[in-house]
Amino acid sequence: MKVWKMRDLGLQATASILGHKDPLVRLKELAEDFPSHANKLSTVKVPKKLRREVERNSQSYLVRSGMMSSGSAGGAAASISVLYVNGRPIDIGLNTFNLFSLLQTIRSETAVLERLAQLDLPQRTAEAILEVGASGEGEGQQGQGGPPAGEEVRIDIVSGSKGAVSFVNNLEKDAQYKKWPKQLRQLMYPSWQLHSLSRNLYTLMMVVDPTTEAGLAALQQMEALYNHMYPVRFGVVISSRANAGVLRSEREPTALPMSAGDTESDIATATDVAVLFSAAKSKYGTGVAFSFLFGLAENQAVPLSMDALVTEFGKVTAAAKSSWTTGSYETHAKDALKAARGSVEDPGQVMARTMSRFVASKGIPVNSFLLNGLLSTDLDLQQALMQLLGREQHMLGQMVGQGKLGDSGNRRKGQPAPADSEPKKSVLATIMAEEGVVSRYHPMVQEPSKDKAFVVPTASMTESIKYLHPAATRALPKAVSLVAVGDWSTVAGLTQLQYALTFLKMQAEVEDADGSPVRLGFVLSMHPSKGGTFKELTTGKSFSKWPASIQAAYIAQVLVGLVADKQADGAADVATDRAALEFLQSVVDLLMPVIVAEYGVKCPKFDALTKAGKAAGYADAKDLVLLLQAPATEAAYLKSIASLEQSLNKELSATPRSSYDVTVTANGRCVLSTPENPLSPDDYALLMGLELKARGHKVMAVMQEMQLEGKGAVAAADHISNSVAVSAAFLGEYMKQPREDLAHHLAEGVYTEHSFFETGASEGAAGEGKGEGEGEGSSSSVGS
């Protein structure tokens, strides 16, 4: 066959297919034995309309994006073969393409879609859910309510920072910056270096443990940048991982750990440094306090002894007072440290607690810094800070151009100027009010979309889980279903159960425009260190023969379920529901010594549980404790616990169970609570907020359009909540893969009159015009 006869062979094959009475049969014939048909195809005349349409379509976004994905150079003459499976592009022209990978893709798509189909949603509702995914509003495009994948996360460092952050300088008030210009419009001028303005444009907050090498080195770099007049406002928060842990878990005010101070060689703690920093700041001023910190950094003494700490304090404070002797100042330091030990009311302890409480509430890692809320754990300020400053200057220039920042007060374009009595918002406060700022940090907010794990539960699995609800919200549908899966027979597991209950108690105080947005379920799943599943550990043994820790875990799980059943009655008021949560928290407190001791401590008697309910003011506690002991209850819960544990262990099998204490799913998205990154009550709130923004609100809006006839308020709420949970999980998994909105492209960007046909309900019929290739009931589409 001559080369010139092969020039239009692709278009000639297309014309032959489209002109056949059954295009799909003709396509199959040609694909299975193309060489034998090639000579005859070369004689087919290509219609001008077909040629013109193919040329126009070659410039469409859909085709050109396919060319880029295949590695082609692009252009109208490029050859490309792309198969889209539910919008997922698969380059079938690659040498590495094989049918088995295609079948695997189809099976994975089918498995996820089957979970959605199990909900038996009305067709209109199911189509609306798929439209949310096809519109690019899901996980693969925006991330989970946080910043887009690959971008830094910006944390709100303004709220809760009062009294926690001490600043070295203030560019708007300090004398050394007075000669610098103030006008923000200079940010709009091109520059290869930072604009030096006497405005607090860049706020650097450093969270340091000054008893570590990394913390001292960071303070030393900060001092150097400050002395070199960098246009940055520098602030410091003193804390440690131990201190943040104490503040994260305390139920009552607790004094932070300090050195005993019995000998001069005792090792100082971050609390000791914070107490002396507070003493220097309150008596001698902020400048002297920072001279004390920078002096410690210069000495680089690690481990830091109490003697070195007191000596540095005496040297710096004596120099500030122009004193030749340091003895009285060192005595002041020792007295301040002695007064702070074990006292939560001492001013030094108050400041240390305020700083560590801020760190714990924001989830900020110790020995890190934040620039205008952007977190960096790289303490090489010369490099890490410079990169961030350049990007921040560009961003601030854009905000000035958009009218969000201005010299006459920071406000959006079109907003009236603030009255004289209204304080002007700082630059930092204006940045914190922007879209995408999160309330606190947890590694989950920076997790790339491709790394996020989702469990798309079956409808029956979702219905089997018993959920607790914030006070008096049982009959309201929920946009987020949180499920904590863990081993309540371990300290880490039971602690997480307590944190989850604390979070739910916090939600009772939150007002939401759509009602309460969350419900919380618990699933007992034994840790591998226990030597088996719950079923394996309990089968053939009576309750009294179980290990005490297993008894405790069972009691916690069953009482949560019984309280949930009580809530389902729908008659409880706010006070009763709050008392129920108090009761459950008291039960966890009673069970914790059993778990901590592991051996030798018996499980509390049932009378103790009843007394805990009475103390909490929960009138139903006595009945529930009696129900807990009933053989029928035991039989039912042994079966349901074993079933849910088996089902969820199978769904979560991608992550080794031994690597985490508890996994919490938010509408299917899995976040692990590990020893390195345990989830706090605030983290539960953060996860809920991220899920609401990513999918929860969108899916809830779709589900509330469903017509539910013949269902009571509680049953209707459960049906909607279950449907939201499964649908949002489906979307999370569905949108992890890059997808094209084919319906949109076929309607708007691709011409289909002469080069397109469908199979399925409209089999054999070509589209009749631009955008008409998406006929109802069609199962597949083919275009040239």
Side-chain angles (χ1 to χ4, degrees), residues 216 220 223 293-301 312 315:
L216 292 175
Q220 198 170 29
E223 182 187 22
L293 270 188
F294 292 149
L296 292 175
E298 185 177 349
N299 294 333
Q300 289 283 311
E312 186 62 33
K315 183 177 72 173

Side-chain angles (χ1 to χ4, degrees), residues 435-448:
E435 184 77 15
V437 177
V438 297
S439 59
R440 59 180 275 107
Y441 175 75
H442 188 276
M444 64 177 156
V445 302
Q446 275 188 312
E447 190 177 24

Side-chain angles (χ1 to χ4, degrees), residues 40 67 129 141 194 246 256 265 277 326 330 349 397 405 453 567 602 620 654 701 717 748 756:
K40 187 175 181 180
M67 290 176 182
I129 293 296
Q141 301 296 324
L194 284 176
V246 169
L256 295 178
S265 61
F277 180 83
T326 62
E330 291 180 6
Q349 272 276 357
L405 287 176
Q567 280 189 328
K602 292 184 178 180
D620 295 316
E748 302 293 337
F756 178 92

Side-chain angles (χ1 to χ4, degrees), residues 360-665:
S361 68
K362 295 296 179 181
I364 304 170
V366 174
N367 289 340
S368 64
F369 75 86
L370 302 101
L371 180 69
N372 290 350
L374 293 177
L375 176 68
S376 174
T377 54
D378 183 358
L379 288 179
D380 183 358
L381 297 187
Q382 294 288 349
Q383 181 173 349
L385 179 60
M386 290 302 100
Q387 293 177 356
L388 289 176
L389 284 172
R391 295 205 292 271
E392 285 297 281
Q393 178 168 276
H394 177 71
M395 183 270 294
L396 290 170
Q398 290 181 323
M399 292 182 69
V400 172
Q402 294 166 0
K404 296 178 181 178
L405 287 176
D407 295 315
S408 58
N410 299 327
R411 61 187 189 276
R412 295 184 183 277
K413 188 176 288 185
Q415 286 184 339
D420 294 338
S421 59
E422 295 180 19
K424 294 180 180 179
K425 286 178 68 175
S426 67
V427 172
L428 182 61
T430 303
I431 294 173
M432 294 297 98
E434 287 291 288
E435 184 77 15
V437 177
V438 297
S439 59
R440 59 180 275 107
Y441 175 75
H442 188 276
M444 64 177 156
V445 302
Q446 275 188 312
E447 190 177 24
S449 296
K450 64 181 178 62
D451 294 337
K452 291 176 182 174
F454 287 87
V455 169
V456 185
T458 62
S460 60
M461 190 187 305
T462 305
E463 293 166 1
S464 299
I465 297 172
K466 297 191 176 184
Y467 296 90
L468 294 175
H469 300 250
T473 67
R474 183 61 183 84
L476 296 175
K478 304 302 190 293
V480 177
S481 295
L482 295 177
V483 179
V485 183
D487 184 353
W488 320 138
S489 71
T490 65
V491 174
L494 198 60
T495 299
Q496 279 300 310
L497 193 151
Q498 186 71 278
Y499 285 170
L501 292 172
T502 301
F503 156 74
L504 202 63
K505 190 176 176 182
M506 290 162 47
Q507 290 307 299
E509 312 297 331
V510 177
E511 294 291 335
D512 188 84
D514 301 321
S516 176
V518 69
R519 61 180 183 169
L520 182 58
F522 297 89
V523 176
L524 175 59
S525 174
M526 307 309 294
H527 195 272
S529 62
K530 293 294 180 178
T533 64
F534 181 80
K535 183 177 181 180
E536 292 168 347
L537 295 172
T538 58
T539 298
K541 302 175 185 176
S542 63
F543 177 82
S544 61
K545 300 297 183 181
W546 298 353
S549 61
I550 305 299
Q551 292 177 347
Y554 172 81
I555 288 172
Q557 181 68 39
V558 174
L559 283 179
V560 164
L562 294 176
V563 170
D565 288 340
K566 204 69 181 175
Q567 280 189 328
D569 294 343
D573 54 18
V574 173
T576 300
D577 279 347
R578 287 179 177 171
L581 287 178
E582 288 284 354
F583 166 58
L584 290 175
Q585 288 192 298
S586 298
V587 168
V588 172
D589 287 339
L590 286 172
L591 298 175
M592 187 61 80
V594 180
I595 307 302
V596 172
E598 193 167 355
Y599 299 105
V601 177
K602 292 184 178 180
C603 209
K605 294 182 178 180
F606 292 116
D607 287 347
L609 304 179
T610 303
K611 289 178 182 179
K614 185 176 181 181
Y618 186 45
D620 295 316
K622 183 177 180 179
D623 293 338
L624 295 189
V625 173
L626 289 173
L627 196 56
L628 169 67
Q629 303 170 61
T633 302
E634 181 176 326
Y637 272 89
L638 286 177
K639 183 178 180 180
S640 66
I641 291 173
S643 175
L644 276 173
E645 180 183 26
Q646 181 182 12
S647 299
L648 279 168
N649 282 350
K650 182 179 179 182
E651 296 291 340
L652 296 168
S653 60
T655 304
R657 179 67 179 86
S658 58
S659 66
Y660 62 89
D661 299 317
V662 174
T663 183
V664 178
T665 67

Side-chain angles (χ1 to χ4, degrees), residues 127-449:
E127 289 174 352
I129 293 296
L130 290 171
E131 285 173 7
V132 172
S135 65
E137 296 177 0
E139 192 73 26
Q141 301 296 324
Q142 292 181 330
Q144 176 123 348
E151 292 191 9
E152 298 92 347
V153 59
R154 198 181 295 271
I155 303 164
D156 178 6
I157 57 173
V158 171
S159 62
S161 64
K162 187 176 181 180
V165 187
S166 297
F167 288 100
V168 182
N169 59 340
N170 187 330
L171 283 78
E172 297 176 359
K173 295 182 179 180
D174 294 350
Q176 63 264 42
Y177 308 110
K178 287 291 184 182
K179 294 183 179 180
W180 289 3
K182 292 180 175 291
Q183 293 75 23
L184 291 178
R185 63 175 178 271
Q186 294 207 22
L187 292 171
M188 301 180 67
Y189 302 153
S191 175
W192 294 103
Q193 60 185 10
L194 284 176
H195 292 287
S196 295
L197 304 180
S198 59
R199 300 290 295 271
N200 293 321
L201 299 176
Y202 314 105
T203 299
L204 184 146
M205 180 188 297
M206 184 174 288
V207 178
V208 292
D209 181 350
T211 65
T212 63
E213 289 185 11
L216 292 175
L219 286 170
Q220 198 170 29
Q221 291 185 68
M222 174 187 280
E223 182 187 22
L225 295 176
Y226 167 67
N227 290 335
H228 282 86
M229 297 280 286
Y230 271 66
V232 176
R233 191 179 193 198
F234 296 99
V236 168
V237 180
I238 300 172
S239 187
S240 67
R241 290 189 65 181
N243 285 1
V246 169
L247 271 297
R248 188 182 296 114
S249 60
E250 72 170 0
R251 299 278 294 276
E252 295 180 358
T254 305
L256 295 178
M258 297 179 65
S259 170
D262 296 330
T263 63
E264 293 181 346
S265 61
D266 281 348
I267 304 303
T269 68
T271 310
D272 294 313
V273 179
V275 167
L276 292 190
F277 180 83
S278 171
K281 184 178 180 180
S282 60
K283 188 166 185 178
Y284 306 108
T286 301
V288 175
F290 273 104
S291 294
F292 163 62
L293 270 188
F294 292 149
L296 292 175
E298 185 177 349
N299 294 333
Q300 289 283 311
V302 177
L304 178 62
S305 69
M306 290 298 293
D307 181 52
L309 183 67
V310 171
T311 299
E312 186 62 33
F313 182 91
K315 183 177 72 173
V316 169
T317 51
K321 290 295 184 179
S322 302
S323 173
W324 291 96
T325 60
T326 62
S328 62
Y329 300 100
E330 291 180 6
T331 300
H332 177 205
K334 292 176 181 178
D335 290 343
L337 290 168
K338 184 177 180 180
R341 290 190 185 102
S343 171
V344 295
E345 297 178 355
D346 175 80
Q349 272 276 357
V350 169
M351 185 173 190
R353 283 174 51 81
T354 300
M355 290 190 285
S356 288
R357 184 184 296 110
F358 175 73
V359 173
S361 68
K362 295 296 179 181
I364 304 170
V366 174
N367 289 340
S368 64
F369 75 86
L370 302 101
L371 180 69
N372 290 350
L374 293 177
L375 176 68
S376 174
T377 54
D378 183 358
L379 288 179
D380 183 358
L381 297 187
Q382 294 288 349
Q383 181 173 349
L385 179 60
M386 290 302 100
Q387 293 177 356
L388 289 176
L389 284 172
R391 295 205 292 271
E392 285 297 281
Q393 178 168 276
H394 177 71
M395 183 270 294
L396 290 170
Q398 290 181 323
M399 292 182 69
V400 172
Q402 294 166 0
K404 296 178 181 178
L405 287 176
D407 295 315
S408 58
N410 299 327
R411 61 187 189 276
R412 295 184 183 277
K413 188 176 288 185
Q415 286 184 339
D420 294 338
S421 59
E422 295 180 19
K424 294 180 180 179
K425 286 178 68 175
S426 67
V427 172
L428 182 61
T430 303
I431 294 173
M432 294 297 98
E434 287 291 288
E435 184 77 15
V437 177
V438 297
S439 59
R440 59 180 275 107
Y441 175 75
H442 188 276
M444 64 177 156
V445 302
Q446 275 188 312
E447 190 177 24
S449 296

